Amino acid sequence: MSVAIMTDHPLKRWRHREGITQAELARRCGVRINTVARWERGEQVPRGALLVKLLDATGLPADAIVTPERFLEQHPDFPGAPQPRPDEGDA
């Protein structure tokens, strides 16, 4: 069974916008750096008390972590979203 890797996770967008490293977020949540990396790739979803810690540390809504693809569909302008390039003919 293959796992689809998410390259544009809301958690990663938030972390980049805030200027926080994976190591710092891991420290705040009491986990290892590779755990944060797995969350950002969508390979793992924190549950229970760990999810609460992550939400407290980031201020993100739960659906941004639990269902990131749907969250990004519903919030396409979420901070850190890739900006569309202006058409060259619109100068």
Side-chain angles (χ1 to χ4, degrees):
M1 179 178 168
S2 66
V3 175
I5 301 297
M6 183 164 201
T7 59
D8 195 29
H9 198 287
L11 179 59
K12 187 174 184 178
R13 287 185 185 186
W14 174 86
R15 193 174 54 73
H16 283 270
R17 182 189 74 208
E18 297 296 318
I20 295 173
T21 64
Q22 286 182 335
E24 174 59 21
L25 183 56
R27 186 192 64 74
R28 291 181 186 186
C29 294
V31 298
R32 295 181 177 169
I33 296 170
N34 62 349
T35 300
V36 172
R38 285 187 196 113
W39 293 341
E40 290 183 352
R41 289 191 305 262
E43 295 174 357
Q44 232 176 28
V45 177
R47 303 272 182 219
L50 191 51
L51 177 59
V52 172
K53 273 186 171 182
L54 178 60
L55 298 178
D56 286 346
T58 62
L60 290 170
D63 58 335
I65 304 302
V66 178
T67 55
E69 293 92 352
R70 186 171 65 192
F71 176 82
L72 291 175
E73 286 174 7
Q74 294 173 348
H75 305 279
D77 295 331
F78 181 73
Q83 299 300 310
R85 293 182 183 179
D87 290 331
E88 293 179 33
D90 291 344

